[in-house]
Amino acid sequence: MPPYRRFRLSLHRHTQTILKNKSNQKFTKSWLIWVKLSLSASVPLMIAIFTIVSYVQQMQINEHNRQQDEELANATREKDISIANLTRIQDHMIANITRYHDLEIANLTQIKDWEIAMANLNIANETKMQDRQIAEDNRKEDRIQQQDLHYETLYSKYIDDISTILYKEPHNQTTFTNEEKKMLYIRRKTLITLRTIDSERRSQLFVFLYENNLLPDQSSPLTTISLMGADLRNITIKSPLTGSYEFNSLTLQSLNLMNAVFIDCRFRGGTNLSGSILTNVQFIGAVFEDNLDAYKVKLINASFTDCIFKKKIIIEDSDLRYAKFIRSNFEQLSFVSINFTNGSFINCKFSGETNFKKSFMNGITFTNSEFETNKQNEFDHVSLDYSYFNNMSLANTTFQYSNLSYTDLSNTHLGNVQFTSKILLINSIFYNTNFTEVNFTHVNLSGARINMSYFQDSQLYNVILPNGTWLINHDNLLKNGNAEKYCWWPYKENILTQWKEEIDAPILYHHNITQLDSTNSSIGNCSFACTNRHLCSMRQLIELKQFTLFIDSNELEYTVSAYFGSNNECELGLISIWIVSYEGRFKRQLRNPYIKSSNNFIKWQQKNDTYKLSKMNGDLYYIRITFNKYSTSCYVDNIEFHLRKSSIYNLN
């Protein structure tokens, strides 16, 4: 029997039992009926649900199988396509490799052919160049030989011609009427020949002139020739082993000696190089027995090595840029108005007076050199910016109106050296410098690197110290501003010492003893006054040259002060103290205040004025005292003029 039949039969039996036991309960019977109906209906429902679920599951299984079949088919198709693509790519790569190899073989073959062709071409070109170079060298050698032969011919002809004139021509058959014309002919012949021959034969020609006493000699102008305008470039004059060449009173004026060399030569009787071009000239072992004069000379990059100057050397208004003096001795030296920028004195000795004036010597070097202690040396109006004075003795030397900014004076002995009259030593270096009696007057040392202990034995006057501090003279710069010079009672005449009369001179008014009291103790015996009813005026010139360093800084101010007095009544402004620049561009006035006194006692009031001085107004000023009309009862005394550093940096 099927299970559901058994279940149904069992359910029926239980239901009958329950109905029998509770037949009397109507409600219970009804409930059981509903239960029975529900259970009866649930079986088909479950079967239906089971059938639907089974169908759905079968559909899902079929769909899954279909998708798997489709994916398998797609994978198989993609694999076939991939295999086909790989096969095609491999075939393409094989074809490309084969083509590349073919091209490479073709290129290598072409390159090899090109290299062979280029090698052949290079060989041909090199052969051609060698042939051309050989031909050019041969032509050059031929030209040199021809040129040398030409120079030799010209030189030989010159020697023969001059020798004939000097030695072979009979005296009674001379072609020249006098010696002067003969020398003039030799000069023309010499100048023309010098322009047409080379430097080697120029040197030989110069020696020929020397040996025949034809070189220009100041002491024998009629028997020697002038070489003005001569071309003596690149000559080399070297004394032979048998003895030095000795040039007497040699005059080499207004000629070209560029790149010339003089070795072991002696110059006697004074040598003159004025107006000549001596750029790159070299004097080696030369001895100048007498003066050497050079005016308007170009000595650019010239060198004097192991030279001795026994007398005075004077070079003026010349260009000596980069010139060098090495291991040379000077008896006296005077350089005036020269440009000696970046020049040098190395291991030199200055035995006599040495003067450098009005020159540019920026960047010059003095190294291991010595100035004689008992001679006076001077640098006057010289620009020495960025110069070097190292490892040397600088004695008895005065620097004035010169600029030594950024100059290095390290390891140098300064003995009795005067830095005076507007010297600039800004940012200069004094490292390990030995000071002996060194004085600084009117010197700007701003930023200088110097040990302050060096100043212990030095005199400092109107100096700007390295830290910017001013050591300025604060004294009264007016002379006899207190009217006490030649002041006596009774006075015999009016003497305005130190003052100059302009209109009517003021007088020295001697105070009556009854007019003085304890408040007048600083006034003295006399004052300035005007005894007539007309205008009185006097003036005094004040020179501020010793303060120009401070004036140039635009930080200098003056204070003018005076005592104004009256024994009666003095109206405002009857006395004026004018400060006027020398050229009149600056004027400023200090006037008396109103003063009223009684009992014939002189009442005094002090008044002052402070103002900044501009460098545009120069360093000369007038102090003018003016008494206007009706100032007979007005007095002025103790007039003073002081200078100091201003604390205000703008003009009032």
Side-chain angles (χ1 to χ4, degrees):
M1 181 180 294
Y4 71 91
R5 294 283 305 258
R6 286 196 300 269
F7 174 75
R8 184 177 179 183
L9 184 58
S10 175
L11 180 62
H12 178 71
R13 283 196 298 267
H14 284 289
T15 302
Q16 290 295 328
T17 303
I18 293 171
L19 289 175
K20 287 180 180 181
N21 293 331
K22 297 181 179 181
S23 57
N24 56 347
Q25 297 181 4
K26 185 178 182 178
F27 178 78
T28 303
K29 184 178 180 180
S30 178
W31 181 82
L32 291 174
I33 293 171
W34 281 105
V35 171
K36 183 178 179 181
L37 290 175
S38 298
L39 291 174
S40 298
S42 63
V43 173
L45 181 61
M46 291 177 63
I47 294 171
I49 292 171
F50 177 76
T51 302
I52 292 170
V53 170
S54 298
Y55 176 76
V56 170
Q57 289 179 348
Q58 187 62 41
M59 289 294 292
Q60 290 178 348
I61 291 170
N62 293 337
E63 181 65 22
H64 179 69
N65 291 335
R66 188 181 62 78
Q67 289 179 356
Q68 285 183 343
D69 294 340
E70 186 177 353
E71 289 176 357
L72 182 60
N74 289 335
T76 302
R77 185 168 59 256
E78 289 177 357
K79 186 175 182 181
D80 294 339
I81 293 172
S82 177
I83 292 171
N85 288 335
L86 288 174
T87 303
R88 186 168 58 255
I89 290 171
Q90 288 177 353
D91 295 340
H92 184 68
M93 290 177 64
I94 291 170
N96 287 338
I97 291 172
T98 302
R99 185 167 58 255
Y100 175 77
H101 285 167
D102 294 340
L103 289 173
E104 187 175 10
I105 292 171
N107 289 334
L108 289 174
T109 303
Q110 185 177 2
I111 291 171
K112 189 172 182 180
D113 294 340
W114 181 79
E115 288 178 349
I116 293 171
M118 288 300 297
N120 294 331
L121 181 61
N122 288 335
I123 292 172
N125 288 335
E126 288 178 2
T127 303
K128 186 185 297 184
M129 290 295 293
Q130 289 176 356
D131 295 340
R132 185 179 298 172
Q133 185 64 38
I134 292 171
E136 181 65 26
D137 291 342
N138 292 334
R139 283 195 299 272
K140 188 175 181 180
E141 185 67 26
D142 292 340
R143 284 198 302 269
I144 292 174
Q145 291 178 359
Q146 291 174 2
Q147 198 172 31
D148 189 70
L149 180 61
H150 173 68
Y151 292 151
E152 185 63 28
T153 301
L154 292 173
Y155 176 70
S156 299
K157 185 177 179 181
Y158 169 82
I159 296 298
D160 291 340
D161 190 8
I162 302 303
S163 298
T164 299
I165 294 173
L166 293 177
Y167 304 111
K168 297 180 181 180
E169 189 177 67
H171 292 288
N172 57 355
Q173 297 181 7
T174 180
T175 57
F176 303 100
T177 58
N178 54 46
E179 194 71 15
E180 182 180 357
K181 290 186 177 181
K182 181 170 73 172
M183 292 298 107
L184 185 60
Y185 173 81
I186 295 175
R187 163 181 157 76
R188 288 198 299 265
K189 189 75 173 178
T190 301
L191 295 183
I192 293 172
T193 304
L194 284 171
R195 294 191 187 102
T196 55
I197 58 178
D198 61 346
S199 59
E200 180 181 354
R201 288 169 180 81
R202 287 194 197 110
S203 304
Q204 296 172 3
L205 191 151
F206 190 88
V207 173
F208 172 80
L209 294 176
Y210 163 73
E211 292 174 342
N212 290 276
N213 298 319
L214 291 173
L215 285 176
D217 187 340
Q218 301 176 68
S219 61
S220 304
L222 298 179
T223 59
T224 59
I225 65 172
S226 170
L227 289 178
M228 293 182 65
D231 184 358
L232 292 170
R233 291 173 299 163
N234 303 304
I235 66 170
T236 299
I237 309 301
K238 182 178 181 180
S239 295
L241 296 177
T242 55
S244 300
Y245 289 135
E246 295 187 1
F247 303 107
N248 294 315
S249 302
L250 184 62
T251 302
L252 299 177
Q253 292 181 282
S254 301
L255 50 80
N256 191 343
L257 275 167
M258 185 181 295
N259 300 316
V261 180
F262 293 86
I263 303 174
D264 297 329
C265 299
R266 301 183 76 88
F267 299 84
R268 299 181 182 275
T271 303
N272 195 326
L273 302 175
S274 297
S276 295
I277 300 174
L278 288 94
T279 301
N280 298 321
V281 71
Q282 297 182 55
F283 289 89
I284 302 172
V287 178
F288 293 85
E289 300 285 351
D290 292 284
N291 291 350
L292 170 62
D293 295 312
Y295 177 73
K296 287 187 177 295
V297 176
K298 288 188 177 180
L299 280 161
I300 302 171
N301 201 37
S303 66
F304 296 80
T305 305
D306 297 317
C307 295
I308 299 175
F309 300 89
K310 294 187 176 182
K311 292 294 180 66
K312 191 171 185 178
I313 170 174
I314 302 175
I315 301 179
E316 185 175 351
D317 198 16
S318 299
D319 192 346
L320 281 84
R321 287 174 295 167
Y322 299 96
K324 297 177 287 293
F325 293 87
I326 304 170
R327 296 186 301 276
S328 297
N329 295 337
F330 302 90
E331 180 60 31
Q332 283 185 286
L333 184 146
S334 177
F335 284 1
V336 181
S337 300
I338 64 168
N339 186 348
F340 202 0
T341 303
N342 295 318
S344 59
F345 289 97
I346 301 173
N347 295 312
C348 293
K349 184 175 182 180
F350 302 87
S351 301
E353 293 183 359
T354 303
N355 296 304
F356 299 94
K357 295 182 178 180
K358 300 177 182 178
S359 299
F360 290 95
M361 299 172 64
N362 301 327
I364 194 170
T365 298
F366 286 83
T367 301
N368 297 320
S369 298
E370 180 181 357
F371 285 81
E372 189 68 29
T373 57
N374 59 351
K375 299 295 181 179
Q376 188 62 40
N377 309 295
E378 184 179 29
F379 291 81
D380 185 5
H381 288 86
V382 178
S383 179
L384 288 159
D385 291 358
Y386 297 95
S387 298
Y388 296 87
F389 292 81
N390 298 124
N391 298 312
M392 63 172 296
S393 175
L394 195 61
N396 289 336
T397 302
T398 299
F399 293 88
Q400 58 183 358
Y401 300 106
S402 297
N403 188 350
L404 288 89
S405 297
Y406 299 93
T407 294
D408 190 346
L409 290 146
S410 299
N411 301 306
T412 295
H413 173 69
L414 302 179
N416 191 23
V417 175
Q418 310 295 322
F419 294 100
T420 182
S421 302
K422 197 178 179 181
I423 293 294
L424 299 180
L425 281 164
I426 299 171
N427 295 316
S428 53
I429 302 172
F430 295 85
Y431 175 75
N432 199 27
T433 304
N434 185 8
F435 277 58
T436 304
E437 297 182 8
V438 180
N439 295 325
F440 297 88
T441 305
H442 316 147
V443 178
N444 189 347
L445 284 159
S446 298
R449 283 178 275 179
I450 184 172
N451 191 330
M452 297 300 289
S453 63
Y454 292 169
F455 295 136
Q456 292 180 357
D457 298 325
S458 299
Q459 178 183 348
L460 301 174
Y461 181 80
N462 282 350
V463 172
I464 300 178
L465 294 178
N467 60 4
T469 301
W470 284 18
L471 298 182
I472 185 172
N473 177 17
H474 295 288
D475 295 340
N476 178 23
L477 301 181
L478 267 176
K479 298 178 181 179
N480 196 28
N482 57 6
E484 297 302 310
K485 192 74 172 178
Y486 297 108
C487 173
W488 56 70
W489 177 264
Y491 56 83
K492 297 180 180 179
E493 58 181 328
N494 290 325
I495 302 176
L496 293 177
T497 305
Q498 307 296 340
W499 294 91
K500 183 177 181 180
E501 175 185 351
E502 286 193 319
I503 305 175
D504 283 339
I507 66 167
L508 297 177
Y509 177 75
H510 198 286
H511 307 138
N512 190 325
I513 192 66
T514 60
Q515 295 176 308
L516 300 178
D517 56 25
S518 59
T519 61
N520 304 140
S521 59
S522 62
I523 298 303
N525 295 319
C526 287
S527 301
F528 294 108
C530 183
T531 57
N532 59 52
R533 294 180 177 273
H534 300 289
L535 186 70
C536 295
S537 179
M538 63 181 182
R539 72 181 184 188
Q540 185 175 146
L541 180 65
I542 297 180
E543 292 188 10
L544 303 181
K545 290 183 179 180
Q546 57 183 327
F547 298 94
T548 52
L549 283 175
F550 307 114
I551 295 175
D552 290 345
S553 70
N554 279 328
E555 297 181 35
L556 183 67
E557 67 181 16
Y558 72 83
T559 297
V560 60
S561 63
Y563 281 85
F564 297 97
S566 177
N567 60 356
N568 189 0
E569 183 177 13
C570 182
E571 295 291 339
L572 173 67
L574 290 181
I575 302 177
S576 296
I577 300 177
W578 288 91
I579 295 88
V580 183
S581 63
Y582 185 78
E583 296 179 352
R585 290 182 295 185
F586 172 81
K587 290 183 179 180
R588 192 166 174 86
Q589 181 185 23
L590 174 65
R591 301 190 301 168
N592 70 284
Y594 172 76
I595 303 173
K596 185 173 179 60
S597 181
S598 60
N599 299 325
N600 204 32
F601 278 98
I602 301 177
K603 182 179 180 181
W604 296 96
Q605 289 189 30
Q606 186 184 24
K607 195 172 182 182
N608 59 62
D609 179 51
T610 299
Y611 198 76
K612 183 175 288 187
L613 292 175
S614 172
K615 65 180 180 180
M616 296 177 59
N617 298 322
D619 53 20
L620 291 175
Y621 289 84
Y622 285 114
I623 305 298
R624 179 178 289 114
I625 313 298
T626 302
F627 292 83
N628 295 318
K629 291 182 179 180
Y630 311 112
S631 59
T632 54
S633 61
C634 301
Y635 312 107
V636 62
D637 202 352
N638 289 356
I639 309 167
E640 296 185 357
F641 185 88
H642 298 272
L643 296 175
R644 68 178 183 182
K645 185 177 183 180
S646 173
S647 58
I648 304 174
Y649 294 94
N650 296 314
L651 290 174
N652 295 330

